[in-house]
Amino acid sequence: MSLSSAEKKRLRDRRAQQTLRTKKQQYTTQLEDKVAHCERYHDDSGTQHLLQVIEGLQRENQVLRTRQEGLKTLITSWEDPSPPHLLHPQPPTQLPLPPIHSTTTTSSSPQPNKEDSDSISPLYSLLPLHSDFPSLNPSLIWLTLPPSTITSCPPSPHPLDLLYGTKTNPLANTIYISSLRRPLRDPERLAFGWLGYHYTKWLLNPNPETFAQLPTFMHPVEEQLRIAHPTSLDLIIWPEIRVTLIREWEVYARQRDDLFGFLACCMKVRWPWGESLLERDEGNELVMKTRFKEVIMCKEGWGITREFVGVWPDVVRGVDVGEVLMEIG
């Protein structure tokens, strides 16, 4: 049918308006998609997550720098024909490295001059020299967690997290899972977990605060700093045993699983059988008993059963067996 000029104009206008409405609808849909994307990926929680990742990477970078400086200090001390700076007395909160039994200084001990003191690296910054990769060691699977995850965990774990696991603290939960590989009593599970947790926090973020959480017997001795060794040896309670195993590791390397498995089962906390490990604080929350913490934080609070001494006598020859021997009754 033929259309008049006015009808043709109205038809063109309708088509133009329809095209314009379609374009507006498409543009509106695109804007809504962009807003939804921003709300999903660029909200406050997403920004906070990115900031946490950045902070974790910065801490990891600082750890690597600290390790590099510690290695430079050690290499310099090897090349220096004079007595190493590490032999000088350290502040009371730190152990002198070479004499592993000595924890005190006397008034007659020679004091380092200011120039030497300025060149001494603090003990908390000297990290053990490891020969293995944690990912290859099933007993230390928590060290395979991203450094940012470990450093973002609380400074200290809740004791229940180490005894029964948790969904809120990845480091404590992974240590708990690892502890299930051994038939441990609750006192040893909690004690090993507590020491391993704080050791890991210091290893990944060495500073005075994390180092202060370690018991003195876990402070690194000279052999740990100078001789590459498996990471697991750092968690042995007695420095004398650590030194023996580090110096003679080639003798024990092939029996590693048997040695570590037997030692983990034979190291015991000197804690009365059946006595509770936890108590209520002023806020009625369950916390670790103060006396239990005092026991596990001193070397005298630990013992080795007669079975281990009988099977591995050379491993314990550096310690007073009469003092460390513990009967399980």
Side-chain angles (χ1 to χ4, degrees):
M1 294 178 62
S2 60
L3 299 176
S4 65
S5 299
E7 291 173 335
K8 291 180 180 180
K9 182 178 184 306
R10 285 196 294 271
L11 181 59
R12 288 196 298 272
D13 290 342
R14 283 198 297 270
R15 289 176 178 174
Q17 292 173 359
Q18 180 62 40
T19 301
L20 181 61
R21 285 195 295 270
T22 301
K23 290 182 178 180
K24 286 183 177 180
Q25 181 63 35
Q26 292 175 344
Y27 183 66
T28 302
T29 301
Q30 291 176 354
L31 290 178
E32 290 175 346
D33 291 341
K34 289 181 179 180
V35 170
H37 182 273
C38 290
E39 289 179 347
R40 181 176 180 181
Y41 295 102
H42 302 289
D43 61 353
D44 290 341
S45 61
T47 302
Q48 291 299 321
H49 173 70
L50 292 176
L51 290 175
Q52 290 177 358
V53 171
I54 293 172
E55 184 179 356
L57 292 174
Q58 290 174 338
R59 285 196 294 263
E60 182 178 356
N61 184 58
Q62 182 59 42
V63 169
L64 295 175
R65 288 179 178 273
T66 302
R67 291 183 178 178
Q68 183 182 33
E69 292 301 321
L71 289 174
K72 286 181 179 179
T73 302
L74 289 176
I75 293 173
T76 302
S77 68
W78 295 340
E79 297 174 349
D80 188 357
S82 61
H85 296 312
L86 294 177
L87 295 176
H88 290 301
Q90 303 291 324
T93 57
Q94 300 173 349
L95 290 176
L97 293 183
I100 59 176
H101 298 287
S102 174
T103 58
T104 60
T105 58
T106 63
S107 57
S108 60
S109 301
Q111 298 297 322
N113 56 42
K114 184 178 185 303
E115 181 179 353
D116 287 340
S117 299
D118 292 340
S119 63
I120 297 175
S121 296
L123 186 57
Y124 74 79
S125 68
L126 301 179
L127 300 178
L129 185 60
H130 295 143
S131 60
D132 59 351
F133 295 96
S135 59
L136 302 179
N137 188 345
S139 64
L140 299 178
I141 57 174
W142 64 85
L143 287 177
T144 63
L145 292 172
S148 57
T149 298
I150 294 176
T151 54
S152 64
C153 289
S156 289
H158 194 285
L160 292 178
D161 294 346
L162 298 173
L163 288 171
Y164 306 111
T166 174
K167 294 183 178 180
T168 59
N169 187 331
L171 177 56
N173 189 63
T174 312
I175 290 176
Y176 161 73
I177 293 173
S178 179
S179 73
L180 297 178
R181 298 177 63 248
R182 311 293 187 193
L184 302 176
R185 305 183 309 165
D186 280 354
E188 284 74 42
R189 190 181 309 280
L190 178 55
F192 288 147
W194 186 266
L195 298 181
Y197 187 98
H198 289 101
Y199 165 82
T200 304
K201 294 289 288 184
W202 165 71
L203 188 66
L204 270 293
N205 188 19
N207 59 57
E209 289 74 25
T210 54
F211 188 73
Q213 296 296 323
L214 297 179
T216 10
F217 59 75
M218 288 189 69
H219 291 182
V221 297
E222 185 181 18
E223 283 76 5
Q224 289 173 261
L225 302 176
R226 295 182 181 272
I227 304 175
H229 59 279
T231 312
S232 299
L233 298 183
D234 294 340
L235 299 178
I236 295 177
I237 304 301
W238 298 271
E240 300 88 343
I241 296 180
R242 296 202 298 266
V243 169
T244 296
L245 291 176
I246 289 173
R247 289 177 176 174
E248 304 175 12
W249 183 241
E250 66 278 2
V251 177
Y252 301 99
R254 292 186 178 181
Q255 306 173 73
R256 170 179 183 150
D257 291 340
D258 292 339
L259 172 62
F260 285 159
F262 201 30
L263 182 59
C265 295
C266 293
M267 285 196 299
K268 302 295 183 181
V269 180
R270 298 183 186 276
W271 188 252
W273 185 271
E275 183 171 337
S276 174
L277 310 174
L278 308 177
E279 61 186 1
R280 297 279 182 181
D281 63 8
E282 295 180 355
N284 201 35
E285 296 291 332
L286 279 174
V287 297
M288 184 190 300
K289 274 190 175 181
T290 302
R291 188 163 63 86
F292 181 76
K293 184 177 180 180
E294 291 172 350
V295 168
I296 68 173
M297 293 294 282
C298 68
K299 190 168 59 174
E300 293 74 20
W302 292 81
I304 302 179
T305 63
R306 187 178 300 276
E307 289 78 8
F308 185 86
V309 176
V311 175
W312 301 92
D314 289 341
V315 173
V316 298
R317 67 179 182 270
V319 299
D320 186 336
V321 176
E323 292 183 359
V324 302
L325 195 61
M326 180 176 176
E327 301 289 349
I328 301 295

